[in-house]
Amino acid sequence: VDGRPLRREVPVLLLPVAAAPRVLLDGVDSAWEAAILLGGAITTPIYTLFVSAKDTGEPPADDAEVEDFDPGQGEPKVRLGLITVVGLAMLVGGGDFFVDGARGIAKLLGMSDPLIGATVVAIGTSLPELAASIVAATRGYSSLAVGNVVGSNIFNIFLILGTVGLIRPIYGPIGDYKAQLGFLIGVTVLGVLFMRGTRRIARVEGLLLLAAYVAFIVLLVLQAIG
């Protein structure tokens, strides 16, 4: 894990994670709370770019890997831009197809909307991020993979809750989401500890994170049928 993103993005990641339970404390994501969250989505990239410009510290941990793999060298910028746009469209489109189909199956199985949202929809909308991170990591761009995960979690709270809350208040009593918020905080802290410890996310640590997610799904299913 590159030390520079750790210094820049990880402290920011803790802000939306702490803000989520605070926003739902009174049971509604009001317009003024949504505006603050949206402000966080706007200022975060500005802050990141500002800090990046001033950060001249240690080089990325995966520099040696990246030097051996540079698929963009000598490629026309227009072609690379087109590939990026088409690839992004395919990622988003594939995620939409998955969500639509899986949500239909879940409805047929009698799953409730909150359970579908926390499982099927959440998994479907995260599949493009998973695919992008796997490709980046296997090609030696581990910093890109980690940055994708950290950035996505920041914007999932700041941008989505902020935008939707401004359009229409979101009602969600904190008592209804104790398990989700508890796992959100716990897994975030666990991920930060793994990244900041040896600066290397080992397979054992990856398995622990996957086990935590399986436990989360099992808990939600037990709550739904209980």
Side-chain angles (χ1 to χ4, degrees):
V1 178
D2 184 358
R4 289 179 290 186
L6 280 177
R7 292 192 294 270
R8 295 193 302 258
E9 283 89 2
V10 169
V12 180
L13 172 62
L14 300 177
L15 292 178
V17 171
R22 174 61 186 87
V23 167
L24 297 177
L25 193 60
D26 58 355
V28 59
D29 178 14
S30 61
W32 70 270
E33 291 172 325
I36 293 175
L37 292 173
L38 192 57
I42 295 171
T43 57
T44 294
I46 297 174
Y47 161 80
T48 302
L49 291 172
F50 177 76
V51 175
S52 298
K54 298 180 65 176
D55 193 349
T56 57
E58 61 202 88
D62 54 355
D63 262 1
E65 302 173 45
V66 175
E67 288 177 357
D68 295 330
F69 184 85
D70 188 6
Q73 188 174 7
E75 292 281 358
K77 293 181 180 180
V78 174
R79 181 175 180 274
L80 292 176
L82 183 61
I83 291 174
T84 302
V85 172
V86 172
L88 179 61
M90 293 175 68
L91 281 174
V92 174
D96 284 341
F97 278 125
F98 175 85
V99 170
D100 289 343
R103 188 176 186 277
I105 294 174
K107 276 291 187 182
L108 290 175
L109 295 176
M111 294 174 62
S112 64
D113 281 340
L115 183 58
I116 293 173
T119 55
V120 175
V121 176
I123 294 172
T125 54
S126 297
L127 283 178
E129 299 165 18
L130 176 63
S133 290
I134 289 176
V135 172
T138 53
R139 293 187 176 186
Y141 288 89
S142 57
S143 295
L144 180 61
V146 173
N148 172 46
V149 173
V150 173
S152 296
N153 280 280
I154 292 173
F155 280 94
N156 274 337
I157 296 177
F158 275 159
L159 184 62
I160 296 176
L161 285 184
T163 302
V164 177
L166 279 179
I167 296 173
R168 184 177 181 178
I170 302 173
Y171 295 94
I174 194 170
D176 296 343
Y177 296 95
K178 288 188 292 187
Q180 290 92 324
L181 292 172
F183 268 90
L184 169 67
I185 295 171
V187 172
T188 300
V189 171
L190 196 62
V192 171
L193 290 176
F194 287 165
M195 287 189 289
R196 293 190 66 89
T198 61
R199 294 257 307 276
R200 179 176 182 270
I201 302 174
R203 286 186 174 87
V204 172
E205 294 167 332
L207 287 172
L208 286 174
L209 291 172
L210 285 174
Y213 186 71
V214 171
F216 169 71
I217 297 296
V218 170
L219 178 60
L220 291 186
V221 172
L222 290 176
Q223 286 181 336
I225 64 178

PDB file of all heavy atoms in Angstrom, residues 91 126-142 144-146 148-149 210:
ATOM      1  N   LEU A  91     -18.750  -1.309 -17.606  1.00  0.00           N
ATOM      2  CA  LEU A  91     -18.785  -1.609 -16.179  1.00  0.00           C
ATOM      3  C   LEU A  91     -20.123  -1.206 -15.573  1.00  0.00           C
ATOM      4  O   LEU A  91     -20.770  -1.972 -14.856  1.00  0.00           O
ATOM      5  CB  LEU A  91     -17.650  -0.889 -15.459  1.00  0.00           C
ATOM      6  CG  LEU A  91     -16.261  -1.506 -15.541  1.00  0.00           C
ATOM      7  CD1 LEU A  91     -15.235  -0.572 -14.895  1.00  0.00           C
ATOM      8  CD2 LEU A  91     -16.225  -2.861 -14.850  1.00  0.00           C
ATOM      9  N   SER A 126     -21.273  -2.618  -6.507  1.00  0.00           N
ATOM     10  CA  SER A 126     -19.848  -2.682  -6.163  1.00  0.00           C
ATOM     11  C   SER A 126     -19.052  -3.564  -7.123  1.00  0.00           C
ATOM     12  O   SER A 126     -17.820  -3.533  -7.095  1.00  0.00           O
ATOM     13  CB  SER A 126     -19.676  -3.217  -4.730  1.00  0.00           C
ATOM     14  OG  SER A 126     -20.254  -2.342  -3.793  1.00  0.00           O
ATOM     15  N   LEU A 127     -19.729  -4.337  -7.955  1.00  0.00           N
ATOM     16  CA  LEU A 127     -19.019  -5.226  -8.884  1.00  0.00           C
ATOM     17  C   LEU A 127     -18.095  -4.467  -9.838  1.00  0.00           C
ATOM     18  O   LEU A 127     -16.970  -4.932 -10.093  1.00  0.00           O
ATOM     19  CB  LEU A 127     -20.027  -6.070  -9.683  1.00  0.00           C
ATOM     20  CG  LEU A 127     -20.659  -7.248  -8.920  1.00  0.00           C
ATOM     21  CD1 LEU A 127     -21.666  -7.961  -9.815  1.00  0.00           C
ATOM     22  CD2 LEU A 127     -19.590  -8.228  -8.448  1.00  0.00           C
ATOM     23  N   PRO A 128     -18.509  -3.306 -10.399  1.00  0.00           N
ATOM     24  CA  PRO A 128     -17.553  -2.573 -11.250  1.00  0.00           C
ATOM     25  C   PRO A 128     -16.291  -2.175 -10.495  1.00  0.00           C
ATOM     26  O   PRO A 128     -15.184  -2.245 -11.050  1.00  0.00           O
ATOM     27  CB  PRO A 128     -18.361  -1.337 -11.683  1.00  0.00           C
ATOM     28  CG  PRO A 128     -19.788  -1.768 -11.605  1.00  0.00           C
ATOM     29  CD  PRO A 128     -19.848  -2.689 -10.427  1.00  0.00           C
ATOM     30  N   GLU A 129     -16.433  -1.752  -9.226  1.00  0.00           N
ATOM     31  CA  GLU A 129     -15.260  -1.397  -8.426  1.00  0.00           C
ATOM     32  C   GLU A 129     -14.386  -2.624  -8.174  1.00  0.00           C
ATOM     33  O   GLU A 129     -13.155  -2.540  -8.226  1.00  0.00           O
ATOM     34  CB  GLU A 129     -15.703  -0.786  -7.096  1.00  0.00           C
ATOM     35  CG  GLU A 129     -16.528   0.486  -7.251  1.00  0.00           C
ATOM     36  CD  GLU A 129     -17.242   0.850  -5.970  1.00  0.00           C
ATOM     37  OE1 GLU A 129     -16.856   0.348  -4.913  1.00  0.00           O
ATOM     38  OE2 GLU A 129     -18.193   1.642  -6.039  1.00  0.00           O
ATOM     39  N   LEU A 130     -15.032  -3.765  -7.891  1.00  0.00           N
ATOM     40  CA  LEU A 130     -14.281  -4.999  -7.667  1.00  0.00           C
ATOM     41  C   LEU A 130     -13.505  -5.390  -8.915  1.00  0.00           C
ATOM     42  O   LEU A 130     -12.316  -5.733  -8.847  1.00  0.00           O
ATOM     43  CB  LEU A 130     -15.242  -6.126  -7.261  1.00  0.00           C
ATOM     44  CG  LEU A 130     -14.625  -7.515  -7.091  1.00  0.00           C
ATOM     45  CD1 LEU A 130     -13.598  -7.510  -5.971  1.00  0.00           C
ATOM     46  CD2 LEU A 130     -15.712  -8.557  -6.811  1.00  0.00           C
ATOM     47  N   ALA A 131     -14.167  -5.320 -10.067  1.00  0.00           N
ATOM     48  CA  ALA A 131     -13.499  -5.686 -11.324  1.00  0.00           C
ATOM     49  C   ALA A 131     -12.316  -4.765 -11.608  1.00  0.00           C
ATOM     50  O   ALA A 131     -11.224  -5.214 -11.967  1.00  0.00           O
ATOM     51  CB  ALA A 131     -14.508  -5.629 -12.481  1.00  0.00           C
ATOM     52  N   ALA A 132     -12.523  -3.460 -11.424  1.00  0.00           N
ATOM     53  CA  ALA A 132     -11.451  -2.497 -11.687  1.00  0.00           C
ATOM     54  C   ALA A 132     -10.275  -2.704 -10.738  1.00  0.00           C
ATOM     55  O   ALA A 132      -9.106  -2.641 -11.147  1.00  0.00           O
ATOM     56  CB  ALA A 132     -11.992  -1.069 -11.554  1.00  0.00           C
ATOM     57  N   SER A 133     -10.563  -2.986  -9.468  1.00  0.00           N
ATOM     58  CA  SER A 133      -9.490  -3.175  -8.486  1.00  0.00           C
ATOM     59  C   SER A 133      -8.712  -4.456  -8.748  1.00  0.00           C
ATOM     60  O   SER A 133      -7.484  -4.497  -8.595  1.00  0.00           O
ATOM     61  CB  SER A 133     -10.068  -3.190  -7.063  1.00  0.00           C
ATOM     62  OG  SER A 133     -10.525  -1.910  -6.698  1.00  0.00           O
ATOM     63  N   ILE A 134      -9.409  -5.533  -9.136  1.00  0.00           N
ATOM     64  CA  ILE A 134      -8.732  -6.796  -9.428  1.00  0.00           C
ATOM     65  C   ILE A 134      -7.791  -6.627 -10.622  1.00  0.00           C
ATOM     66  O   ILE A 134      -6.629  -7.065 -10.592  1.00  0.00           O
ATOM     67  CB  ILE A 134      -9.758  -7.917  -9.698  1.00  0.00           C
ATOM     68  CG1 ILE A 134     -10.456  -8.310  -8.390  1.00  0.00           C
ATOM     69  CG2 ILE A 134      -9.076  -9.139 -10.322  1.00  0.00           C
ATOM     70  CD1 ILE A 134     -11.556  -9.340  -8.569  1.00  0.00           C
ATOM     71  N   VAL A 135      -8.280  -5.979 -11.674  1.00  0.00           N
ATOM     72  CA  VAL A 135      -7.442  -5.763 -12.855  1.00  0.00           C
ATOM     73  C   VAL A 135      -6.231  -4.908 -12.498  1.00  0.00           C
ATOM     74  O   VAL A 135      -5.093  -5.196 -12.886  1.00  0.00           O
ATOM     75  CB  VAL A 135      -8.260  -5.106 -13.987  1.00  0.00           C
ATOM     76  CG1 VAL A 135      -7.343  -4.693 -15.134  1.00  0.00           C
ATOM     77  CG2 VAL A 135      -9.325  -6.063 -14.494  1.00  0.00           C
ATOM     78  N   ALA A 136      -6.468  -3.823 -11.732  1.00  0.00           N
ATOM     79  CA  ALA A 136      -5.363  -2.934 -11.357  1.00  0.00           C
ATOM     80  C   ALA A 136      -4.327  -3.670 -10.515  1.00  0.00           C
ATOM     81  O   ALA A 136      -3.117  -3.532 -10.734  1.00  0.00           O
ATOM     82  CB  ALA A 136      -5.913  -1.730 -10.583  1.00  0.00           C
ATOM     83  N   ALA A 137      -4.779  -4.461  -9.554  1.00  0.00           N
ATOM     84  CA  ALA A 137      -3.846  -5.161  -8.668  1.00  0.00           C
ATOM     85  C   ALA A 137      -3.055  -6.225  -9.414  1.00  0.00           C
ATOM     86  O   ALA A 137      -1.840  -6.368  -9.218  1.00  0.00           O
ATOM     87  CB  ALA A 137      -4.613  -5.797  -7.505  1.00  0.00           C
ATOM     88  N   THR A 138      -3.717  -6.991 -10.289  1.00  0.00           N
ATOM     89  CA  THR A 138      -3.023  -8.066 -11.002  1.00  0.00           C
ATOM     90  C   THR A 138      -2.032  -7.511 -12.022  1.00  0.00           C
ATOM     91  O   THR A 138      -1.075  -8.203 -12.404  1.00  0.00           O
ATOM     92  CB  THR A 138      -4.023  -8.985 -11.726  1.00  0.00           C
ATOM     93  OG1 THR A 138      -4.878  -8.194 -12.558  1.00  0.00           O
ATOM     94  CG2 THR A 138      -4.869  -9.745 -10.728  1.00  0.00           C
ATOM     95  N   ARG A 139      -2.219  -6.263 -12.442  1.00  0.00           N
ATOM     96  CA  ARG A 139      -1.296  -5.659 -13.407  1.00  0.00           C
ATOM     97  C   ARG A 139      -0.216  -4.808 -12.739  1.00  0.00           C
ATOM     98  O   ARG A 139       0.535  -4.130 -13.418  1.00  0.00           O
ATOM     99  CB  ARG A 139      -2.076  -4.821 -14.414  1.00  0.00           C
ATOM    100  CG  ARG A 139      -2.976  -5.669 -15.313  1.00  0.00           C
ATOM    101  CD  ARG A 139      -3.599  -4.833 -16.398  1.00  0.00           C
ATOM    102  NE  ARG A 139      -4.381  -5.657 -17.327  1.00  0.00           N
ATOM    103  CZ  ARG A 139      -4.949  -5.194 -18.441  1.00  0.00           C
ATOM    104  NH1 ARG A 139      -4.816  -3.915 -18.761  1.00  0.00           N
ATOM    105  NH2 ARG A 139      -5.637  -5.989 -19.219  1.00  0.00           N
ATOM    106  N   GLY A 140      -0.166  -4.856 -11.417  1.00  0.00           N
ATOM    107  CA  GLY A 140       0.896  -4.152 -10.714  1.00  0.00           C
ATOM    108  C   GLY A 140       0.548  -2.770 -10.225  1.00  0.00           C
ATOM    109  O   GLY A 140       1.394  -2.086  -9.662  1.00  0.00           O
ATOM    110  N   TYR A 141      -0.701  -2.344 -10.423  1.00  0.00           N
ATOM    111  CA  TYR A 141      -1.115  -1.019  -9.970  1.00  0.00           C
ATOM    112  C   TYR A 141      -1.890  -1.136  -8.658  1.00  0.00           C
ATOM    113  O   TYR A 141      -3.065  -0.778  -8.575  1.00  0.00           O
ATOM    114  CB  TYR A 141      -1.979  -0.341 -11.041  1.00  0.00           C
ATOM    115  CG  TYR A 141      -1.205   0.105 -12.248  1.00  0.00           C
ATOM    116  CD1 TYR A 141      -1.022  -0.750 -13.333  1.00  0.00           C
ATOM    117  CD2 TYR A 141      -0.643   1.373 -12.310  1.00  0.00           C
ATOM    118  CE1 TYR A 141      -0.309  -0.349 -14.447  1.00  0.00           C
ATOM    119  CE2 TYR A 141       0.075   1.783 -13.423  1.00  0.00           C
ATOM    120  CZ  TYR A 141       0.237   0.926 -14.488  1.00  0.00           C
ATOM    121  OH  TYR A 141       0.951   1.320 -15.580  1.00  0.00           O
ATOM    122  N   SER A 142      -1.226  -1.619  -7.628  1.00  0.00           N
ATOM    123  CA  SER A 142      -1.922  -1.825  -6.358  1.00  0.00           C
ATOM    124  C   SER A 142      -2.380  -0.511  -5.740  1.00  0.00           C
ATOM    125  O   SER A 142      -3.399  -0.458  -5.052  1.00  0.00           O
ATOM    126  CB  SER A 142      -1.017  -2.587  -5.381  1.00  0.00           C
ATOM    127  OG  SER A 142       0.198  -1.900  -5.182  1.00  0.00           O
ATOM    128  N   LEU A 144      -3.554   2.019  -7.335  1.00  0.00           N
ATOM    129  CA  LEU A 144      -4.815   2.350  -7.995  1.00  0.00           C
ATOM    130  C   LEU A 144      -5.954   1.526  -7.403  1.00  0.00           C
ATOM    131  O   LEU A 144      -7.069   2.042  -7.209  1.00  0.00           O
ATOM    132  CB  LEU A 144      -4.693   2.085  -9.494  1.00  0.00           C
ATOM    133  CG  LEU A 144      -5.921   2.386 -10.353  1.00  0.00           C
ATOM    134  CD1 LEU A 144      -6.291   3.860 -10.264  1.00  0.00           C
ATOM    135  CD2 LEU A 144      -5.670   1.992 -11.800  1.00  0.00           C
ATOM    136  N   ALA A 145      -5.692   0.261  -7.103  1.00  0.00           N
ATOM    137  CA  ALA A 145      -6.715  -0.597  -6.523  1.00  0.00           C
ATOM    138  C   ALA A 145      -7.151  -0.086  -5.152  1.00  0.00           C
ATOM    139  O   ALA A 145      -8.348  -0.002  -4.850  1.00  0.00           O
ATOM    140  CB  ALA A 145      -6.190  -2.030  -6.410  1.00  0.00           C
ATOM    141  N   VAL A 146      -6.177   0.264  -4.311  1.00  0.00           N
ATOM    142  CA  VAL A 146      -6.498   0.764  -2.969  1.00  0.00           C
ATOM    143  C   VAL A 146      -7.194   2.121  -3.061  1.00  0.00           C
ATOM    144  O   VAL A 146      -8.183   2.380  -2.367  1.00  0.00           O
ATOM    145  CB  VAL A 146      -5.217   0.872  -2.121  1.00  0.00           C
ATOM    146  CG1 VAL A 146      -5.518   1.547  -0.785  1.00  0.00           C
ATOM    147  CG2 VAL A 146      -4.632  -0.511  -1.883  1.00  0.00           C
ATOM    148  N   ASN A 148      -9.038   3.234  -5.439  1.00  0.00           N
ATOM    149  CA  ASN A 148     -10.396   3.017  -5.918  1.00  0.00           C
ATOM    150  C   ASN A 148     -11.328   2.663  -4.767  1.00  0.00           C
ATOM    151  O   ASN A 148     -12.437   3.193  -4.658  1.00  0.00           O
ATOM    152  CB  ASN A 148     -10.391   1.905  -6.972  1.00  0.00           C
ATOM    153  CG  ASN A 148     -11.791   1.492  -7.377  1.00  0.00           C
ATOM    154  OD1 ASN A 148     -12.655   2.319  -7.629  1.00  0.00           O
ATOM    155  ND2 ASN A 148     -12.025   0.188  -7.437  1.00  0.00           N
ATOM    156  N   VAL A 149     -10.886   1.768  -3.894  1.00  0.00           N
ATOM    157  CA  VAL A 149     -11.715   1.334  -2.768  1.00  0.00           C
ATOM    158  C   VAL A 149     -11.958   2.478  -1.796  1.00  0.00           C
ATOM    159  O   VAL A 149     -13.102   2.750  -1.385  1.00  0.00           O
ATOM    160  CB  VAL A 149     -11.047   0.141  -2.037  1.00  0.00           C
ATOM    161  CG1 VAL A 149     -11.807  -0.193  -0.774  1.00  0.00           C
ATOM    162  CG2 VAL A 149     -10.970  -1.062  -2.959  1.00  0.00           C
ATOM    163  N   LEU A 210     -13.184 -10.766   4.132  1.00  0.00           N
ATOM    164  CA  LEU A 210     -14.251 -11.526   3.471  1.00  0.00           C
ATOM    165  C   LEU A 210     -15.132 -12.237   4.495  1.00  0.00           C
ATOM    166  O   LEU A 210     -16.361 -12.286   4.352  1.00  0.00           O
ATOM    167  CB  LEU A 210     -13.648 -12.554   2.507  1.00  0.00           C
ATOM    168  CG  LEU A 210     -13.087 -11.990   1.202  1.00  0.00           C
ATOM    169  CD1 LEU A 210     -12.383 -13.090   0.420  1.00  0.00           C
ATOM    170  CD2 LEU A 210     -14.196 -11.385   0.351  1.00  0.00           C
TER     171      LEU A 210
END
